[in-house]
Amino acid sequence: MSLKTNLHSLGEKLDSLSPSDGLALLSDLFPGKVIFSTSLGQEDQVITQLIAENLLDIHIFSLDTGRLFPETLDLIARTESKYKKRIEVLYPERTSVEKLVADIGINGFYDSVENRKSCCFVRKVEPLKRALAGNSVWVTGLRAEQSPNRADMKKIEWDEANQIIKFNPLLDWTYDQMIVYINENNIPYNPLHDKGFISIGCAPCTRAISEGEDPRAGRWWWEESKKECGLHIK
């Protein structure tokens, strides 16, 4: 199947399938070419459980930016232990990080949106591009209700920047639906979620939110921006 063509008909088929059946279909259509990027968030933990429990041929990887919470790193180990499946961990290029810090300072991302996006590019976007290269389908844990920027996304779409099909199996799930599934299936999750951290990224760029705040208000809270790092921009 050509990557960019027939997405509409494939999307119609996926809309009628459960997340696990959708993942199974794509792993059959693109054997050895489906890859899942997990940030260890609750959505991603659900997808990891679906992949592992159904023995799907989908490679799982995560990005260690060098600034993650210890709880996030510990969750990688707990997840691997529970599901007996290795999560590949990718790191930013050492020379790129050293140049970034030399240019803007160790915490220079607080000084401007431009600096913060430069940091995200070095620590997240570039390693992601390396991981996606040569694959056909990129699975993500995006949900439409996470932010206005994601509300108009489709379950399956063409990612022009990375030249890959992007599949968002939980796109139409609600937060409550996700929590029920996690509890019913005893899925390990980051303990920071129980302390008000709904969306968890790098430690210096994430804070807990108060009741009633937008779920992504704790990400880059000092900015007036679209609250995205560059991984999911069309």
Side-chain angles (χ1 to χ4, degrees):
M1 179 185 294
S2 173
L3 288 186
K4 197 172 182 179
T5 58
N6 301 321
L7 277 188
H8 180 71
S9 58
L10 182 57
E12 289 183 336
K13 183 176 294 185
L14 288 168
D15 282 340
S16 67
L17 298 177
S18 67
S20 59
D21 288 341
L23 290 166
L25 174 64
L26 290 174
S27 65
D28 287 341
L29 290 175
F30 302 96
K33 295 292 185 178
V34 183
I35 191 165
F36 168 47
S37 60
T38 175
S39 64
L40 287 301
Q42 289 164 307
E43 295 85 358
D44 294 336
Q45 289 298 96
V46 168
I47 295 174
T48 295
Q49 185 262 353
L50 293 174
I51 291 171
E53 293 290 339
N54 292 285
L55 303 176
L56 300 179
D57 181 22
I58 296 177
H59 183 67
I60 304 176
F61 74 95
S62 189
L63 305 177
D64 183 351
T65 65
R67 302 298 297 264
L68 298 180
F69 287 97
E71 291 90 342
T72 302
L73 298 175
D74 181 64
L75 183 57
I76 295 176
R78 290 196 290 123
T79 303
E80 289 183 334
S81 177
K82 181 175 178 65
Y83 297 117
K84 304 298 186 288
K85 186 175 180 67
R86 183 70 69 199
I87 297 173
E88 181 185 14
V89 181
L90 298 178
Y91 301 88
E93 294 287 352
R94 176 182 61 82
T95 54
S96 297
V97 174
E98 290 175 349
K99 184 179 186 305
L100 173 76
V101 173
D103 288 345
I104 70 172
I106 193 71
N107 285 339
F109 44 80
Y110 289 128
D111 296 337
S112 70
V113 174
E114 181 182 8
N115 281 3
R116 193 270 295 169
K117 288 186 176 180
S118 295
C119 187
C120 288
F121 182 85
V122 168
R123 296 180 184 275
K124 299 173 74 173
V125 178
E126 190 281 326
L128 175 77
K129 288 183 177 295
R130 276 191 275 124
L132 297 182
N135 289 285
S136 300
V137 180
W138 170 22
V139 179
T140 86
L142 298 180
R143 291 187 303 108
E145 73 171 17
Q146 286 173 329
S147 73
N149 305 325
R150 300 174 179 183
D152 62 347
M153 288 183 172
K154 299 177 181 178
K155 273 193 178 180
I156 194 160
E157 52 192 2
W158 177 250
D159 188 293
E160 186 67 27
N162 294 295
Q163 295 291 294
I164 196 169
I165 295 170
K166 181 189 283 189
F167 179 46
N168 311 307
L170 304 185
L171 189 69
D172 56 1
W173 277 35
T174 65
Y175 176 79
D176 290 340
Q177 181 180 1
M178 175 185 68
I179 296 302
V180 167
Y181 187 88
I182 287 172
N183 292 335
E184 287 181 347
N185 291 276
N186 195 30
I187 295 174
Y189 65 89
N190 196 320
L192 291 175
H193 288 305
D194 294 331
K195 299 178 181 179
F197 292 80
I198 303 302
S199 177
I200 302 173
C202 293
C205 300
T206 308
R207 67 161 173 81
I209 64 171
S210 302
E211 186 175 353
E213 278 193 291
D214 183 272
R216 288 181 68 81
R219 302 292 295 276
W220 311 293
W221 68 91
W222 65 92
E223 289 184 4
E224 292 294 331
S225 70
K226 291 186 177 181
K227 305 290 186 178
E228 296 286 357
C229 62
L231 297 183
H232 300 293
I233 295 177
K234 297 181 181 180

